[in-house]
Amino acid sequence: MSADAKTFEYAVRDKSGKLVKGRVEAPNQAAVANRLRDMGLAAVSISEVSATGLNRELSIGGDRVSLKDLAVMSRQMATMIDSGLSLLRALSILAEQTESKVLARIVGQVRNDVEVGTALSVALAKHEHIFPPLMINMVKAGEVGGFLDQALVSVADNFESEVKLRNKIKSAMTYPVVVFVVAILATIGMLLFIVPVFAGMFTTLGGTLPLPTRILMQLSQLMKITIVPLVVALVVFVAWWSRHKNDKGVRERLDPVKLKLPVFGNLFRKIAVARFTRNFGTMIHSGVPLLQALEVVGETSGNMVIEWAAKDVQESVRRGESLAGPLAHHTVFPPMVVQMMAVGEDTGALDTMLGKVADFYDDEVEATTEQLTSLIEPIMIVVIGAIIGSMVIAMYMPIFGIFNLIQ
């Protein structure tokens, strides 16, 4: 889009007489009218769209489309194209019936680009913040090979599997995170509101308090002083993290650590391997060139360790060497994965082998999440009970001492 180009909304009558609305970018209103006339369309109205207000808000901060919406869109488009509908007609229907308003707006822009002769993959690439590189490259391969509908089905299958994987991760992480937050809030609440009441009562009694009680009272005093700075620091960290969590420098330091965590490290590794093999297999099956596929799957694996391994494989393939060989030097890939990829490479069934590995690790992720959930529940209950129980005992120890003196 040039600096002088503007966005125009138009309404036209197609050859069947149906009113069709859309958007197009052009230098002026006359250029829009000429473009529509060249396409054999009768313009009913043409108006410029201002970049203020809600439209600007959507273009800057509102572009959030879920992977589930993209999966539904891909499957619906594949079904319509397979049924004989033209690409333009399929995109028009999607723009009208898609539930996500942001996606509907973007699909309308893609339709306008396709209408003036732009390839679908190129039109999607203009909105790379909406459409993942995997989808763009698979659509491009489908266009070149003449199997766009099959490529879109593969995209939908891949995204649906990714949605299932993310749901499994959430199911494993939600319970411990919620319980951990509740435990922290309960501890802070007791230190700020309950312990001071007992502290005032203990002061009037005089005498020397037990060591656990003195420690608890000191923690209460410290919490009163640090609670405001802690809250401010937490807000600042959350804001910084939401903006920089995907920065390359942050991920290079954090991703290797995630794989070495004592309880969740094995789960994170299985998730990364499942994502890598599924995306890689899907792209190979859809006809995406090997080097191009490796570049994309490294970025979409969600872990920099996998991305580094994919770059090593790229260099190996460029030198004419094997695909699976470099993976053996990366401990993130289990020997079974390396061996199955080697067999697939030798037999010419690499996509099939990658699909089997992905299915295996999807099942492994599900089994691991169930084990973690069943293991974490009793551990978290014991931890919370120990924290709250020790605080209660520390508060009541002086009272027990008074009872002993009375007796």
Side-chain angles (χ1 to χ4, degrees):
M1 178 177 175
S2 64
D4 297 331
K6 302 174 183 178
T7 302
F8 292 88
E9 279 187 346
Y10 64 83
V12 298
R13 295 282 181 186
D14 60 14
K15 294 180 181 178
S16 63
K18 183 180 177 181
L19 186 66
V20 178
K21 296 181 179 180
R23 288 190 178 191
V24 67
E25 295 171 355
N28 51 54
Q29 199 168 6
V32 178
N34 292 334
R35 185 180 299 179
L36 295 173
R37 193 182 305 111
D38 292 341
M39 292 187 291
L41 300 173
V44 177
S45 65
I46 300 173
S47 58
E48 183 180 349
V49 179
S50 63
T52 59
L54 180 61
N55 291 323
R56 176 176 292 176
E57 181 183 351
L58 285 174
S59 64
I60 295 175
D63 288 345
R64 293 290 183 270
V65 177
S66 69
L67 206 59
K68 185 176 180 180
D69 289 333
L70 292 177
V72 172
M73 168 195 159
S74 302
R75 193 167 296 282
Q76 289 177 341
M77 190 188 300
T79 302
M80 286 187 282
I81 292 174
D82 185 55
S83 300
L85 271 68
S86 67
L87 181 58
L88 279 176
R89 183 63 178 152
L91 289 169
S92 298
I93 294 172
L94 285 172
E96 293 173 4
Q97 72 176 25
T98 300
E99 294 183 2
S100 170
K101 293 181 180 180
V102 174
L103 184 58
R105 176 173 59 86
I106 297 298
V107 171
Q109 295 175 10
V110 170
R111 179 198 177 280
N112 294 336
D113 289 335
V114 172
E115 192 173 31
V116 297
T118 305
L120 177 60
S121 58
V122 176
L124 295 177
K126 290 183 179 180
H127 309 280
E128 57 184 8
H129 59 293
I130 296 292
F131 304 107
L134 182 140
M135 181 177 183
I136 295 170
N137 282 278
M138 289 178 65
V139 167
K140 184 177 181 180
E143 288 176 323
V144 174
F147 50 86
L148 180 59
D149 54 340
Q150 298 175 24
L152 288 168
V153 169
S154 297
V155 170
D157 290 340
N158 184 279
F159 286 171
E160 287 166 0
S161 298
E162 180 67 19
V163 170
K164 284 182 62 179
L165 182 63
R166 292 183 180 183
N167 289 336
K168 292 173 186 175
I169 299 169
K170 288 180 181 178
S171 67
M173 299 296 292
T174 300
Y175 181 83
V177 168
V178 169
V179 173
F180 182 69
V181 170
V182 169
I184 292 177
L185 293 177
T187 303
I188 293 174
M190 291 186 70
L191 290 173
L192 289 177
F193 303 108
I194 298 178
V195 173
V197 175
F198 281 81
M201 183 177 64
F202 295 153
T203 303
T204 60
L205 294 176
T208 303
L209 296 174
L211 179 61
T213 307
R214 295 201 304 270
I215 294 174
L216 189 62
M217 293 176 63
Q218 290 175 358
L219 288 175
S220 177
Q221 292 295 327
L222 182 63
M223 182 59 65
K224 287 181 180 179
I225 299 171
T226 60
I227 184 63
V228 174
L230 284 174
V231 171
V232 172
L234 179 62
V235 171
V236 171
F237 173 76
V238 170
W240 178 87
W241 178 254
S242 62
R243 179 172 294 186
H244 298 284
K245 63 182 179 180
N246 293 320
D247 290 357
K248 187 175 181 181
V250 175
R251 292 184 58 206
E252 284 179 346
R253 291 174 174 82
L254 188 62
D255 286 354
V257 175
K258 287 167 62 177
L259 299 179
K260 296 176 182 178
L261 292 175
V263 177
F264 292 97
N266 192 36
L267 175 62
F268 290 142
R269 184 175 76 156
K270 290 176 180 179
I271 291 169
V273 172
R275 192 172 281 154
F276 172 84
T277 52
R278 182 174 57 252
N279 292 347
F280 194 20
T282 302
M283 296 190 76
I284 295 298
H285 180 73
S286 298
V288 178
L290 188 58
L291 289 174
Q292 190 174 344
L294 284 167
E295 183 175 356
V296 173
V297 296
E299 297 174 358
T300 58
S301 64
N303 195 287
M304 289 297 296
V305 178
I306 298 286
E307 188 171 342
W308 294 331
K311 288 180 180 179
D312 285 350
V313 175
Q314 273 185 291
E315 294 302 320
S316 176
V317 172
R318 283 195 182 98
R319 294 193 299 266
E321 299 174 4
S322 69
L323 178 70
L327 296 182
H329 303 295
H330 294 269
T331 56
V332 67
F333 290 100
M336 184 201 74
V337 176
V338 178
Q339 292 300 322
M340 290 188 69
M341 288 183 64
V343 172
E345 189 178 13
D346 293 338
T347 59
L350 181 60
D351 55 339
T352 303
M353 284 296 185
L354 288 168
K356 290 180 179 179
V357 172
D359 291 340
F360 172 79
Y361 275 96
D362 281 341
D363 294 337
E364 282 287 296
V365 169
E366 185 171 1
T368 304
T369 53
E370 291 177 357
Q371 292 172 2
L372 284 176
T373 303
S374 60
L375 177 66
I376 287 173
E377 286 183 15
I379 292 177
M380 295 299 290
I381 292 172
V382 170
V383 170
I384 294 175
I387 294 173
I388 304 298
S390 60
M391 293 176 69
V392 171
I393 292 172
M395 286 187 293
Y396 277 94
M397 283 180 71
I399 299 176
F400 296 151
I402 294 173
F403 289 155
N404 291 332
L405 291 174
I406 293 174
Q407 293 175 358

